[in-house]
Amino acid sequence: MHTGQPVWDLSSQFLTVTRNSMKKQEVRTGGEASQAHGTGSPAEQVKALVDLLSWKSNQGGQSQQAPDGMSDSPLEPHGNDSRIRRHREALLGRVGGTPELGSPVHRLASLLLVEGLSDLQMQEHDFTQVEATRGGQRPARTITLDRLFLPLSRVSIPPRISITVGVAGMGKTTLVRHFVRLWAQGQLSQDFSLVLPFTFRDLNAYEKVSAERLICSVFPNVGEACLAVTAPARVLLVLDGLDECKMPLDFSNTVACTDPKREIQVDQLVTNIVRGNLFPEVSVWITSRPGAAGLIPGGLVDRMTEIRGFTEEEIKGCLEQMFPEDKTLVGQILSQVQANRALYLMCTVPAFCRLVGMVLGHLCRSSPAPQDPELWPPQTMCELYSWYFRMALSGEGQEKGKVSPRIEQVAHGGRKMVGTLGRMAFHGLVKKKFVFYEQDMKAFGVDLAVLQGSLCSFFLQREETLVSSVAYCFIHLSLQEFVAAAYYYSASRRAIFDLFTESGMSWPRLGFLTHFKSAAQRAMQAEDGRLDVFLRFLSGLLSPRVNALLAGFLLTQGEHQGYQAQVAELLQGCLRPNTAVCARAINVLYCLQELRRTELAHSVAEAMGNSALASLTSPPHRAALAYLLQVSDISAQEADLSLGLGQGVLQSLLPQLLYCQSLRLDTNQFQDPVMELLSSVLSRKDCRIQKISLAENQISNKGAKALARSLLVNRSLTTLDLRSNSIGPQGAKALADALKINRTLTSLSLQSNAIKDDGARSVAEALAVNQMLSVLHLQKNVIGPRGAQQMAEALKQNRSLKELMLSSNSIGDGGAKALAEALKVNQALLNLDLQSNSISDMGVAALMGALCANQTLLSLNLRENSISPEGAQALAQALGSNSTLKHLDLTANLLHDQGAQAIAVAVGENHTLQSLQLHAHCLCLLSLQWNFIQVGAARALGQALQLNSSLTSLDLQENAIGDEGASALASALKPAGGLHWFPGGPGAGGGPCCEQNPGDSRLTRKRHWGGWS
């Protein structure tokens, strides 16, 4: 069969198409075109094309000379190099050649690689996102900045649309500037021939614009011709701040546009670029707050990353950067932040952390001991921003050269600023507008002269856009919300119409309370939570501390103070008996905290401390419980909801439990329907629960199956405790099947679940596959020899399990022999518990034979079995040769004097081996309780202890060693320091029962449950 001709035909077609394409891009001179367009053989055509491509790939190098006859036009490679060089210089002029002061560049060196946005990110306020997640990050891979636009594997392709999200103040713009700076300096992503950074503050200046005119007008050093030349190479288009776009993106009604010269609205321009109708070969990088990023369909996004917040160390580092020469001041600020958990959580946001540092640093420096200690330190967000406002006022006086400005002048300036900017801030907040231009200022009646004042600079930042317009935005979103609340607070005194609509409709006898009720209703109805923090500030302005702070500056002394109790009642009235406690309901508790009405939260906290959760059934109680799960220091470590939590309360808390790292739900009489609910939580992609305990409930195999389904998809859970339930063999099988797939769970307790041999077999099959589980508890499960044999076969293959607890089963000698064979092979297991398993001398002999070969087991529990003096001989032989076992428990066996003497001899021999530097035995705990040991064995142990220097704990309680045996042991202990021993209890005959303290040769008396020890 001849295949050469078809192949050459295809090759000729490919060469023709390639030549024509390159000809259209005008990257060759006429001579080169004719050279490559010859009609020679296919081999000659290939050689010509390779030569051409080789020249083209090097045309960007500075040392590459253009072929003869090539003009020096900007369209040609030499001119293109010059344009790109000027473009890089222009970018460095915009972003600066060095990082901004205090910029956490090291934190931005890597991002979290996430799979889409969570419901919390798409639906809630930025503050709510930080608070609900306790300032933590969801489990995710990281990706370094230098690989942000590269394929993740050898078989994947680079992403076209990349999105980086982060809450307000997280550092998205700082990240973009850092990336652009490194690219322009030639340090990063040099596979991009061009990087074109835009901000939506730039794009908002246009009503309509074409893609071509936008790029050519903003980047004159690039131009259309340069884009044409570099088209085959990679170009990166950066769109920073999607959440600031003046028109929300609407992908469902996008009018397709493929003509880059056609002028269209900015939002349609962006949607067409994202869809690939415009610049389909250009890579696009968009940064945004999460809510706005959720408007882009997930199917159009190739890669999504997230900027992580500050860690505790980075919070400290940020403060040290702000005050590099004053470590004492840093310590003071840090202690204030750590004392207030709600404040500490928000400090994981870099911009907020710097704002807090600025306020607390100013206060500590200017007045180490405030005149009124009742106002210090700030305990709520509103108090913090009130101090910020006062700091801004003091800064204005200093800048004007007034050592002590008159309070009337300062107060007038503050009220004028709020009156000027407050209305704009408020309506911008209602309409989701966060960037303002001069036309916006005029529309809201803002006096442009006020913008030049120093006081205004504490709240607004001014930025020149690329199209010669000026954009203003508040330094942080929360400052806009604070100023908006202050405006609403003041305006409600005299407004006779709804401030949200300004409809002009007169409401007789409005008053502050009516306006507050209107604000509360609108905040509760806002699905995206955009008025949550505004309502917190509005509530906080009523608190006595804030009123005292701002009286005469921003507020009138005592204004609206009579409404505190009514406002608190109104807020609690917003807590309706919904199915679940939503973020709006929890925000009501934050509002009450700002108002300093914390009775509800305190009562629930007291109930939690007293294990009286059964009494928490009302909607306010449930909301307060969810609130405490976020802000309580105790709940930060572990959310303990044991003893009496009802199913209805748990169901209402599910959205909040999603972000608890450790969750304890023991002894709540939960049944299978509750497990279905918990399964839905554990199956969520944004679930962050790492540990969950469901011990002593009423879970059957159906509930276990529900939990197993969640383990198939869960990526956060590492510990699952199902002690004392009734899952049975079927439930164990469902969990075992999930373990074959799950790659996160490391600890599982199925103690007291009657899984029997069938369940043990299922678990064993999973252990043969799973290589993540390290702790497995199977005590009290009616497991016999057959089940133990299955577990033993699994241990021969498993390399991850470190702890296996099989106590209180019935594995007998048959199971012990099987486990012994496994121990000869397994080199991972460290702790084996075989207490109360009907193991006799035959089983012990097998286990001891395995210990002679095993070099990893550290702890072996053989309590309450049937080991006689004969079995003790095997134990002694193993102790003489094993080099790793540290803990051995032989309590309540039948060793008698003969067996104990044999073990005593082995302990002495063991010490000898260690002293010979054979790295031999390091046994440090030996328990021989309830073994009918008498004085002879005690003497033998005493002699062994004189030789052994490694044993640190010896337990001989409930034996009959008598005074003579105790004296022998005491004499042996005198030269040794470090052994704790519990000699005899009542059987010691009242003799000297002693404990040898570490490093101390004196004998002391100590009372224990069994008598003196």
Side-chain angles (χ1 to χ4, degrees), residues 838-860:
S838 303
I839 301 174
S840 68
D841 294 340
M842 188 179 302
V844 169
L847 287 169
M848 295 306 104
L851 284 184
C852 294
N854 183 282
Q855 298 297 318
T856 56
L857 195 69
L858 301 178
S859 177
L860 178 61

Side-chain angles (χ1 to χ4, degrees), residues 534-762:
F534 163 79
L535 187 62
R536 292 187 200 180
F537 284 135
L538 186 60
S539 303
L541 290 170
L542 284 170
S543 76
R545 285 169 61 108
V546 171
N547 193 263
L549 279 170
L550 297 180
F553 292 92
L554 186 58
L555 308 180
T556 302
Q557 182 72 41
E559 185 180 31
H560 305 324
Q561 291 302 293
Y563 292 116
Q564 289 180 24
Q566 293 171 287
V567 165
E569 184 178 354
L570 188 153
L571 287 169
Q572 292 192 43
C574 295
L575 300 174
R576 297 185 177 89
N578 297 325
T579 304
V581 178
C582 63
R584 305 290 82 70
I586 298 176
N587 191 64
V588 168
L589 271 295
Y590 279 102
C591 291
L592 291 171
Q593 171 67 20
E594 295 286 344
L595 189 60
R596 309 298 293 166
R597 302 299 292 261
T598 58
E599 299 86 357
L600 176 60
H602 281 310
S603 66
V604 174
E606 186 177 351
M608 290 180 68
N610 297 330
S611 299
L613 296 178
S615 62
L616 306 180
T617 57
S618 69
H621 284 148
R622 298 179 183 188
L625 184 55
Y627 165 76
L628 289 173
L629 289 177
Q630 291 186 9
V631 302
S632 169
D633 290 330
I634 298 176
S635 297
Q637 301 299 323
E638 179 181 70
D640 190 350
L641 301 176
S642 303
L643 297 171
L645 187 71
Q647 178 177 342
V649 178
L650 177 71
Q651 186 171 0
S652 67
L653 293 175
L654 288 178
Q656 312 311 319
L657 298 183
L658 192 66
Y659 304 104
C660 295
Q661 290 190 0
S662 182
L663 186 59
R664 185 172 293 278
L665 298 170
D666 301 342
T667 322
N668 284 311
Q669 298 183 346
F670 287 155
Q671 298 180 353
D672 297 336
V674 177
M675 297 306 103
E676 294 285 352
L677 297 175
L678 287 175
S679 176
S680 67
V681 172
L682 293 171
S683 299
R684 293 268 296 271
K685 65 181 179 182
D686 51 341
C687 175
R688 304 190 185 179
I689 301 175
Q690 297 179 11
K691 300 179 180 180
I692 185 168
S693 178
L694 293 163
E696 300 181 22
N697 282 287
Q698 298 174 9
I699 306 169
S700 73
N701 63 73
K702 292 182 179 179
K705 290 176 181 178
L707 293 173
R709 288 195 297 271
S710 68
L711 291 180
L712 296 174
V713 295
N714 180 277
R715 297 184 180 181
S716 65
L717 195 67
T718 61
T719 302
L720 176 60
D721 188 350
L722 291 171
R723 282 176 295 124
S724 302
N725 284 285
S726 306
I727 70 170
Q730 293 184 14
K733 183 180 187 307
L735 291 168
D737 289 341
L739 286 178
K740 295 176 182 178
I741 298 176
N742 182 279
R743 292 294 179 267
T744 59
L745 199 70
T746 59
S747 177
L748 174 64
S749 177
L750 299 180
Q751 176 181 340
S752 300
N753 268 283
I755 69 171
K756 303 181 181 179
D757 285 344
D758 288 342
R761 183 183 68 251
S762 299

Side-chain angles (χ1 to χ4, degrees), residues 59-307:
Q59 65 179 343
Q62 295 182 0
S63 62
Q64 178 68 40
Q65 299 296 325
D68 294 339
M70 183 173 288
S71 66
D72 196 25
S73 166
L75 293 178
E76 302 304 341
H78 181 73
N80 187 39
D81 266 354
S82 176
R83 287 173 179 268
I84 293 178
R85 185 174 59 254
R86 291 197 301 271
H87 175 63
R88 290 177 184 259
E89 293 170 354
L91 290 182
L92 285 175
R94 286 176 53 193
V95 302
T98 57
E100 303 171 8
L101 182 63
S103 174
V105 171
H106 65 282
R107 182 178 62 92
L108 302 177
S110 64
L111 304 175
L112 299 176
L113 191 62
V114 296
E115 297 180 2
L117 298 170
S118 65
D119 293 341
L120 179 72
Q121 289 177 303
M122 290 191 290
Q123 298 173 6
E124 302 299 344
H125 188 283
D126 292 27
F127 271 31
T128 303
Q129 295 177 37
V130 176
E131 291 162 347
T133 58
R134 286 67 166 169
Q137 306 295 335
R138 53 177 159 170
R141 296 166 54 189
T142 58
I143 184 170
T144 56
L145 193 59
D146 60 336
R147 300 195 58 81
L148 185 57
F149 305 104
L150 296 179
L152 294 179
S153 65
R154 294 182 179 180
V155 297
S156 59
I157 61 175
R160 180 178 176 270
I161 302 295
S162 300
I163 298 180
T164 297
V165 298
V167 299
M170 194 59 82
K172 299 180 292 295
T173 298
T174 303
L175 171 67
V176 169
R177 290 176 177 172
H178 179 55
F179 177 88
V180 171
R181 180 185 303 111
L182 293 179
W183 177 83
Q185 293 173 342
Q187 302 180 35
L188 193 72
S189 295
Q190 294 307 291
D191 52 327
F192 287 117
S193 59
L194 278 178
V195 173
L196 306 175
F198 289 90
T199 69
F200 278 89
R201 298 177 189 180
D202 301 326
L203 300 179
N204 288 341
Y206 294 97
E207 291 297 330
K208 285 188 174 183
V209 67
S210 69
E212 181 181 289
R213 184 168 71 88
L214 176 66
I215 293 176
C216 293
S217 61
V218 174
F219 298 104
N221 292 321
V222 178
E224 178 189 0
C226 187
L227 282 176
V229 172
T230 59
R234 295 187 68 192
V235 176
L236 178 65
L237 179 65
V238 183
L239 301 175
D240 180 30
L242 174 62
D243 50 283
E244 297 178 346
C245 183
K246 65 180 179 180
M247 295 289 291
L249 303 186
D250 184 1
F251 282 85
S252 59
N253 296 312
T254 301
V255 178
C257 175
T258 58
D259 184 3
K261 297 184 178 181
R262 178 185 171 187
E263 292 198 350
I264 53 178
Q265 292 181 348
V266 171
D267 60 312
Q268 295 183 8
L269 176 66
V270 174
T271 54
N272 275 284
I273 290 176
V274 172
R275 284 196 177 279
N277 298 328
L278 292 171
F279 302 146
E281 302 300 326
V282 170
S283 298
V284 181
W285 182 25
I286 300 173
T287 68
S288 175
R289 290 166 57 196
L295 298 176
I296 301 178
L300 299 177
V301 180
D302 301 308
R303 182 169 299 172
M304 181 167 287
T305 53
E306 183 176 346
I307 303 180

